[in-house]
Each structure stands twice: as structure tokens, then as C-alpha cells.
PDB file of all heavy atoms in Angstrom:
ATOM      1  N   HIS A 192      61.180 151.401 114.333  1.00 95.00           N
ATOM      2  CA  HIS A 192      62.287 151.365 113.370  1.00 95.00           C
ATOM      3  C   HIS A 192      62.021 150.345 112.273  1.00 95.00           C
ATOM      4  O   HIS A 192      62.170 150.626 111.076  1.00 95.00           O
ATOM      5  CB  HIS A 192      63.594 151.031 114.094  1.00 95.00           C
ATOM      6  CG  HIS A 192      64.404 152.219 114.461  1.00 95.00           C
ATOM      7  ND1 HIS A 192      65.305 152.807 113.617  1.00 95.00           N
ATOM      8  CD2 HIS A 192      64.443 152.929 115.609  1.00 95.00           C
ATOM      9  CE1 HIS A 192      65.873 153.833 114.218  1.00 95.00           C
ATOM     10  NE2 HIS A 192      65.368 153.929 115.435  1.00 95.00           N
ATOM     11  N   LEU A 193      61.661 149.130 112.682  1.00 96.00           N
ATOM     12  CA  LEU A 193      61.436 148.062 111.713  1.00 96.00           C
ATOM     13  C   LEU A 193      60.265 148.389 110.795  1.00 96.00           C
ATOM     14  O   LEU A 193      60.322 148.120 109.583  1.00 96.00           O
ATOM     15  CB  LEU A 193      61.182 146.741 112.451  1.00 96.00           C
ATOM     16  CG  LEU A 193      62.351 146.173 113.262  1.00 96.00           C
ATOM     17  CD1 LEU A 193      61.918 144.912 114.006  1.00 96.00           C
ATOM     18  CD2 LEU A 193      63.546 145.877 112.377  1.00 96.00           C
ATOM     19  N   GLN A 194      59.217 148.976 111.368  1.00 96.00           N
ATOM     20  CA  GLN A 194      58.037 149.290 110.570  1.00 96.00           C
ATOM     21  C   GLN A 194      58.349 150.346 109.513  1.00 96.00           C
ATOM     22  O   GLN A 194      57.930 150.245 108.355  1.00 96.00           O
ATOM     23  CB  GLN A 194      56.901 149.775 111.484  1.00 96.00           C
ATOM     24  CG  GLN A 194      55.568 149.925 110.779  1.00 96.00           C
ATOM     25  CD  GLN A 194      55.020 148.604 110.280  1.00 96.00           C
ATOM     26  OE1 GLN A 194      55.020 147.605 110.993  1.00 96.00           O
ATOM     27  NE2 GLN A 194      54.562 148.575 109.027  1.00 96.00           N
ATOM     28  N   ARG A 195      59.105 151.384 109.906  1.00 95.00           N
ATOM     29  CA  ARG A 195      59.425 152.450 108.958  1.00 95.00           C
ATOM     30  C   ARG A 195      60.284 151.948 107.805  1.00 95.00           C
ATOM     31  O   ARG A 195      60.081 152.321 106.649  1.00 95.00           O
ATOM     32  CB  ARG A 195      60.142 153.605 109.677  1.00 95.00           C
ATOM     33  CG  ARG A 195      59.243 154.497 110.499  1.00 95.00           C
ATOM     34  CD  ARG A 195      59.916 155.832 110.786  1.00 95.00           C
ATOM     35  NE  ARG A 195      61.216 155.674 111.423  1.00 95.00           N
ATOM     36  CZ  ARG A 195      61.405 155.621 112.745  1.00 95.00           C
ATOM     37  NH1 ARG A 195      60.358 155.709 113.561  1.00 95.00           N
ATOM     38  NH2 ARG A 195      62.605 155.494 113.247  1.00 95.00           N
ATOM     39  N   ARG A 196      61.274 151.109 108.119  1.00 95.00           N
ATOM     40  CA  ARG A 196      62.228 150.685 107.094  1.00 95.00           C
ATOM     41  C   ARG A 196      61.753 149.470 106.290  1.00 95.00           C
ATOM     42  O   ARG A 196      62.111 149.320 105.123  1.00 95.00           O
ATOM     43  CB  ARG A 196      63.583 150.377 107.742  1.00 95.00           C
ATOM     44  CG  ARG A 196      64.279 151.603 108.285  1.00 95.00           C
ATOM     45  CD  ARG A 196      64.473 152.650 107.179  1.00 95.00           C
ATOM     46  NE  ARG A 196      65.057 153.869 107.672  1.00 95.00           N
ATOM     47  CZ  ARG A 196      66.366 154.116 107.713  1.00 95.00           C
ATOM     48  NH1 ARG A 196      67.212 153.197 107.307  1.00 95.00           N
ATOM     49  NH2 ARG A 196      66.809 155.261 108.164  1.00 95.00           N
ATOM     50  N   PHE A 197      60.999 148.576 106.912  1.00 96.00           N
ATOM     51  CA  PHE A 197      60.691 147.308 106.247  1.00 96.00           C
ATOM     52  C   PHE A 197      59.203 146.990 106.175  1.00 96.00           C
ATOM     53  O   PHE A 197      58.816 145.970 105.625  1.00 96.00           O
ATOM     54  CB  PHE A 197      61.398 146.158 106.984  1.00 96.00           C
ATOM     55  CG  PHE A 197      62.869 146.349 107.150  1.00 96.00           C
ATOM     56  CD1 PHE A 197      63.400 146.768 108.373  1.00 96.00           C
ATOM     57  CD2 PHE A 197      63.736 146.128 106.097  1.00 96.00           C
ATOM     58  CE1 PHE A 197      64.764 146.945 108.533  1.00 96.00           C
ATOM     59  CE2 PHE A 197      65.101 146.303 106.248  1.00 96.00           C
ATOM     60  CZ  PHE A 197      65.619 146.725 107.468  1.00 96.00           C
ATOM     61  N   GLY A 198      58.359 147.869 106.725  1.00 95.00           N
ATOM     62  CA  GLY A 198      56.944 147.553 106.846  1.00 95.00           C
ATOM     63  C   GLY A 198      56.211 147.349 105.534  1.00 95.00           C
ATOM     64  O   GLY A 198      55.194 146.657 105.483  1.00 95.00           O
ATOM     65  N   ALA A 199      56.696 147.937 104.449  1.00 95.00           N
ATOM     66  CA  ALA A 199      56.007 147.785 103.165  1.00 95.00           C
ATOM     67  C   ALA A 199      56.079 146.361 102.635  1.00 95.00           C
ATOM     68  O   ALA A 199      55.153 145.899 101.951  1.00 95.00           O
ATOM     69  CB  ALA A 199      56.606 148.752 102.139  1.00 95.00           C
ATOM     70  N   ASP A 200      57.164 145.655 102.945  1.00 96.00           N
ATOM     71  CA  ASP A 200      57.375 144.322 102.385  1.00 96.00           C
ATOM     72  C   ASP A 200      57.384 143.217 103.432  1.00 96.00           C
ATOM     73  O   ASP A 200      57.314 142.030 103.071  1.00 96.00           O
ATOM     74  CB  ASP A 200      58.696 144.277 101.617  1.00 96.00           C
ATOM     75  CG  ASP A 200      58.729 145.265 100.472  1.00 96.00           C
ATOM     76  OD1 ASP A 200      57.793 145.242  99.653  1.00 96.00           O
ATOM     77  OD2 ASP A 200      59.667 146.087 100.417  1.00 96.00           O
ATOM     78  N   TYR A 201      57.498 143.581 104.700  1.00 97.00           N
ATOM     79  CA  TYR A 201      57.596 142.582 105.759  1.00 97.00           C
ATOM     80  C   TYR A 201      56.551 142.840 106.840  1.00 97.00           C
ATOM     81  O   TYR A 201      56.136 143.978 107.065  1.00 97.00           O
ATOM     82  CB  TYR A 201      58.999 142.596 106.383  1.00 97.00           C
ATOM     83  CG  TYR A 201      60.076 142.140 105.431  1.00 97.00           C
ATOM     84  CD1 TYR A 201      60.633 143.018 104.503  1.00 97.00           C
ATOM     85  CD2 TYR A 201      60.520 140.819 105.439  1.00 97.00           C
ATOM     86  CE1 TYR A 201      61.608 142.586 103.612  1.00 97.00           C
ATOM     87  CE2 TYR A 201      61.493 140.390 104.552  1.00 97.00           C
ATOM     88  CZ  TYR A 201      62.035 141.274 103.637  1.00 97.00           C
ATOM     89  OH  TYR A 201      62.991 140.851 102.766  1.00 97.00           O
ATOM     90  N   ARG A 202      56.154 141.779 107.504  1.00 97.00           N
ATOM     91  CA  ARG A 202      55.222 141.876 108.617  1.00 97.00           C
ATOM     92  C   ARG A 202      56.026 142.060 109.901  1.00 97.00           C
ATOM     93  O   ARG A 202      56.832 141.200 110.256  1.00 97.00           O
ATOM     94  CB  ARG A 202      54.379 140.600 108.679  1.00 97.00           C
ATOM     95  CG  ARG A 202      53.271 140.595 109.715  1.00 97.00           C
ATOM     96  CD  ARG A 202      52.291 139.462 109.406  1.00 97.00           C
ATOM     97  NE  ARG A 202      52.950 138.174 109.300  1.00 97.00           N
ATOM     98  CZ  ARG A 202      52.806 137.195 110.201  1.00 97.00           C
ATOM     99  NH1 ARG A 202      52.054 137.357 111.263  1.00 97.00           N
ATOM    100  NH2 ARG A 202      53.429 136.040 110.012  1.00 97.00           N
ATOM    101  N   VAL A 203      55.841 143.161 110.589  1.00 97.00           N
ATOM    102  CA  VAL A 203      56.608 143.481 111.788  1.00 97.00           C
ATOM    103  C   VAL A 203      55.752 143.177 113.020  1.00 97.00           C
ATOM    104  O   VAL A 203      54.601 143.630 113.121  1.00 97.00           O
ATOM    105  CB  VAL A 203      57.043 144.958 111.794  1.00 97.00           C
ATOM    106  CG1 VAL A 203      57.744 145.310 113.093  1.00 97.00           C
ATOM    107  CG2 VAL A 203      57.951 145.240 110.593  1.00 97.00           C
ATOM    108  N   ARG A 204      56.329 142.400 113.953  1.00 97.00           N
ATOM    109  CA  ARG A 204      55.629 142.091 115.198  1.00 97.00           C
ATOM    110  C   ARG A 204      56.576 142.293 116.372  1.00 97.00           C
ATOM    111  O   ARG A 204      57.787 142.062 116.262  1.00 97.00           O
ATOM    112  CB  ARG A 204      55.146 140.646 115.194  1.00 97.00           C
ATOM    113  CG  ARG A 204      53.892 140.401 114.395  1.00 97.00           C
ATOM    114  CD  ARG A 204      52.640 140.880 115.115  1.00 97.00           C
ATOM    115  NE  ARG A 204      52.416 140.157 116.355  1.00 97.00           N
ATOM    116  CZ  ARG A 204      51.694 139.034 116.446  1.00 97.00           C
ATOM    117  NH1 ARG A 204      51.147 138.503 115.355  1.00 97.00           N
ATOM    118  NH2 ARG A 204      51.516 138.439 117.603  1.00 97.00           N
ATOM    119  N   GLY A 205      56.022 142.685 117.483  1.00 97.00           N
ATOM    120  CA  GLY A 205      56.769 142.787 118.721  1.00 97.00           C
ATOM    121  C   GLY A 205      56.063 142.015 119.811  1.00 97.00           C
ATOM    122  O   GLY A 205      54.824 142.025 119.894  1.00 97.00           O
ATOM    123  N   GLU A 206      56.834 141.324 120.638  1.00 97.00           N
ATOM    124  CA  GLU A 206      56.278 140.566 121.758  1.00 97.00           C
ATOM    125  C   GLU A 206      57.068 140.889 123.026  1.00 97.00           C
ATOM    126  O   GLU A 206      58.288 141.068 122.977  1.00 97.00           O
ATOM    127  CB  GLU A 206      56.321 139.062 121.490  1.00 97.00           C
ATOM    128  CG  GLU A 206      55.491 138.594 120.305  1.00 97.00           C
ATOM    129  CD  GLU A 206      53.991 138.708 120.544  1.00 97.00           C
ATOM    130  OE1 GLU A 206      53.587 138.993 121.701  1.00 97.00           O
ATOM    131  OE2 GLU A 206      53.219 138.510 119.590  1.00 97.00           O
ATOM    132  N   LEU A 207      56.351 140.931 124.160  1.00 96.00           N
ATOM    133  CA  LEU A 207      56.982 141.262 125.448  1.00 96.00           C
ATOM    134  C   LEU A 207      57.525 140.030 126.163  1.00 96.00           C
ATOM    135  O   LEU A 207      58.370 140.158 127.051  1.00 96.00           O
ATOM    136  CB  LEU A 207      55.975 141.973 126.352  1.00 96.00           C
ATOM    137  CG  LEU A 207      55.553 143.377 125.906  1.00 96.00           C
ATOM    138  CD1 LEU A 207      54.330 143.830 126.688  1.00 96.00           C
ATOM    139  CD2 LEU A 207      56.703 144.360 126.109  1.00 96.00           C
ATOM    140  N   THR A 208      57.055 138.848 125.780  1.00 96.00           N
ATOM    141  CA  THR A 208      57.464 137.631 126.482  1.00 96.00           C
ATOM    142  C   THR A 208      57.952 136.576 125.501  1.00 96.00           C
ATOM    143  O   THR A 208      57.515 136.525 124.345  1.00 96.00           O
ATOM    144  CB  THR A 208      56.309 137.038 127.293  1.00 96.00           C
ATOM    145  OG1 THR A 208      55.295 136.550 126.395  1.00 96.00           O
ATOM    146  CG2 THR A 208      55.704 138.090 128.232  1.00 96.00           C
ATOM    147  N   SER A 209      58.827 135.713 125.991  1.00 95.00           N
ATOM    148  CA  SER A 209      59.331 134.631 125.151  1.00 95.00           C
ATOM    149  C   SER A 209      58.232 133.616 124.853  1.00 95.00           C
ATOM    150  O   SER A 209      58.215 133.005 123.781  1.00 95.00           O
ATOM    151  CB  SER A 209      60.521 133.948 125.831  1.00 95.00           C
ATOM    152  OG  SER A 209      60.177 133.519 127.130  1.00 95.00           O
ATOM    153  N   GLY A 210      57.299 133.447 125.785  1.00 95.00           N
ATOM    154  CA  GLY A 210      56.201 132.511 125.557  1.00 95.00           C
ATOM    155  C   GLY A 210      55.329 132.929 124.397  1.00 95.00           C
ATOM    156  O   GLY A 210      54.979 132.110 123.533  1.00 95.00           O
ATOM    157  N   ALA A 211      54.978 134.212 124.351  1.00 96.00           N
ATOM    158  CA  ALA A 211      54.159 134.708 123.243  1.00 96.00           C
ATOM    159  C   ALA A 211      54.917 134.626 121.925  1.00 96.00           C
ATOM    160  O   ALA A 211      54.340 134.306 120.876  1.00 96.00           O
ATOM    161  CB  ALA A 211      53.736 136.146 123.528  1.00 96.00           C
ATOM    162  N   ALA A 212      56.208 134.905 121.959  1.00 97.00           N
ATOM    163  CA  ALA A 212      57.018 134.822 120.747  1.00 97.00           C
ATOM    164  C   ALA A 212      57.082 133.389 120.228  1.00 97.00           C
ATOM    165  O   ALA A 212      56.954 133.134 119.016  1.00 97.00           O
ATOM    166  CB  ALA A 212      58.419 135.348 121.017  1.00 97.00           C
ATOM    167  N   LEU A 213      57.274 132.428 121.132  1.00 97.00           N
ATOM    168  CA  LEU A 213      57.339 131.028 120.728  1.00 97.00           C
ATOM    169  C   LEU A 213      56.031 130.568 120.109  1.00 97.00           C
ATOM    170  O   LEU A 213      56.017 129.836 119.109  1.00 97.00           O
ATOM    171  CB  LEU A 213      57.687 130.149 121.935  1.00 97.00           C
ATOM    172  CG  LEU A 213      59.159 129.807 122.139  1.00 97.00           C
ATOM    173  CD1 LEU A 213      59.330 128.935 123.377  1.00 97.00           C
ATOM    174  CD2 LEU A 213      59.726 129.108 120.914  1.00 97.00           C
ATOM    175  N   GLU A 214      54.929 130.991 120.690  1.00 97.00           N
ATOM    176  CA  GLU A 214      53.628 130.608 120.147  1.00 97.00           C
ATOM    177  C   GLU A 214      53.473 131.138 118.722  1.00 97.00           C
ATOM    178  O   GLU A 214      53.012 130.425 117.820  1.00 97.00           O
ATOM    179  CB  GLU A 214      52.513 131.151 121.044  1.00 97.00           C
ATOM    180  CG  GLU A 214      51.120 130.740 120.589  1.00 97.00           C
ATOM    181  CD  GLU A 214      50.027 131.249 121.522  1.00 97.00           C
ATOM    182  OE1 GLU A 214      50.363 131.835 122.576  1.00 97.00           O
ATOM    183  OE2 GLU A 214      48.838 131.062 121.179  1.00 97.00           O
ATOM    184  N   LEU A 215      53.868 132.386 118.502  1.00 97.00           N
ATOM    185  CA  LEU A 215      53.794 132.968 117.173  1.00 97.00           C
ATOM    186  C   LEU A 215      54.683 132.222 116.189  1.00 97.00           C
ATOM    187  O   LEU A 215      54.281 131.915 115.057  1.00 97.00           O
ATOM    188  CB  LEU A 215      54.186 134.444 117.234  1.00 97.00           C
ATOM    189  CG  LEU A 215      54.311 135.185 115.898  1.00 97.00           C
ATOM    190  CD1 LEU A 215      52.976 135.196 115.153  1.00 97.00           C
ATOM    191  CD2 LEU A 215      54.813 136.606 116.125  1.00 97.00           C
ATOM    192  N   LEU A 216      55.904 131.913 116.606  1.00 97.00           N
ATOM    193  CA  LEU A 216      56.851 131.242 115.725  1.00 97.00           C
ATOM    194  C   LEU A 216      56.389 129.830 115.368  1.00 97.00           C
ATOM    195  O   LEU A 216      56.564 129.371 114.234  1.00 97.00           O
ATOM    196  CB  LEU A 216      58.233 131.202 116.385  1.00 97.00           C
ATOM    197  CG  LEU A 216      58.934 132.561 116.496  1.00 97.00           C
ATOM    198  CD1 LEU A 216      60.071 132.494 117.499  1.00 97.00           C
ATOM    199  CD2 LEU A 216      59.439 133.004 115.131  1.00 97.00           C
ATOM    200  N   ARG A 217      55.809 129.144 116.330  1.00 97.00           N
ATOM    201  CA  ARG A 217      55.286 127.800 116.052  1.00 97.00           C
ATOM    202  C   ARG A 217      54.094 127.853 115.111  1.00 97.00           C
ATOM    203  O   ARG A 217      53.947 126.994 114.234  1.00 97.00           O
ATOM    204  CB  ARG A 217      54.917 127.117 117.373  1.00 97.00           C
ATOM    205  CG  ARG A 217      56.149 126.655 118.162  1.00 97.00           C
ATOM    206  CD  ARG A 217      55.796 126.190 119.540  1.00 97.00           C
ATOM    207  NE  ARG A 217      56.978 125.693 120.266  1.00 97.00           N
ATOM    208  CZ  ARG A 217      57.119 125.729 121.575  1.00 97.00           C
ATOM    209  NH1 ARG A 217      56.148 126.239 122.341  1.00 97.00           N
ATOM    210  NH2 ARG A 217      58.221 125.264 122.140  1.00 97.00           N
TER     211      ARG A 217
END
């Protein structure tokens, strides 16, 4: 959904764990 609507202007990422998400955000 995010890729179709916003992928042209935004970088869309998905993570399965909070640890991986935190690492990306940091």
C-alpha cells in the first residue's frame, strides 16, 4: 500500500522486529 501511494517520493521500509526497526531509526 505504502509503496503504491508514496513510493515515488518516499522510501518505504518494512521490518518484522522492533530491534531491526530501532537500528534503522538510529
Side-chain angles (χ1 to χ4, degrees):
H192 264 274
L193 294 176
Q194 189 65 46
R195 283 199 305 270
R196 292 303 176 91
F197 306 102
D200 300 308
Y201 293 83
R202 185 164 55 110
V203 175
R204 281 284 297 270
E206 297 291 351
L207 292 167
T208 68
S209 54
L213 266 180
E214 183 178 355
L215 174 61
L216 290 163
R217 286 171 178 151

